[in-house]
Amino acid sequence: MTFGTIVFWIVQIFVLIMGISIGHSYLRFKIRREENRKKELELLLLDKRTEILQQGKNVAHELEELLYKAKVQQEINDIIRKDEPRH
């Protein structure tokens, strides 16, 4: 082999290794960016979760009050019906 051929193959191997290295770095960059995006979405969900839980507690409290008032009204209606004279 001549010196030119050896240099040519060394350059080819160097280009191949550089291509693999750049491709690997690019793929890791894409994967990390996707992981970061997923983490951001998870954080947003956690922030929204606290708001939703608070709203759910408020709705549950209001619903409990409404059910209590309806139960009291039902008992009042039952008492009134018992006290009415029958014809």
Side-chain angles (χ1 to χ4, degrees):
M1 282 205 210
T2 64
F3 179 73
T5 307
I6 293 174
V7 170
F8 173 76
W9 283 109
I10 290 175
V11 169
Q12 290 297 322
I13 291 171
F14 178 74
V15 168
L16 176 67
I17 292 172
M18 275 295 272
I20 291 171
S21 175
I22 291 172
H24 182 260
S25 297
Y26 178 74
L27 289 175
R28 289 190 62 172
F29 170 75
K30 295 282 276 185
I31 290 170
R32 282 187 183 160
R33 188 170 64 180
E34 185 67 26
E35 287 174 352
N36 288 340
R37 192 173 72 83
K38 286 180 183 179
K39 287 179 184 177
E40 288 174 3
L41 290 174
E42 287 175 4
L43 288 175
L44 285 173
L45 284 174
L46 287 175
D47 288 342
K48 294 292 181 182
R49 180 179 175 222
T50 56
E51 291 175 18
I52 290 170
L53 286 175
Q54 185 61 36
Q55 290 175 355
K57 287 179 183 178
N58 291 342
V59 168
H61 181 68
E62 291 173 8
L63 184 59
E64 184 179 350
E65 284 183 25
L66 288 173
L67 289 172
Y68 176 75
K69 288 178 183 178
K71 180 72 174 170
V72 168
Q73 186 64 41
Q74 182 66 38
E75 289 177 5
I76 290 171
N77 290 342
D78 290 345
I79 291 171
I80 291 173
R81 285 189 198 127
K82 288 180 183 178
D83 289 344
E84 289 178 357
R86 305 207 182 224
H87 297 284

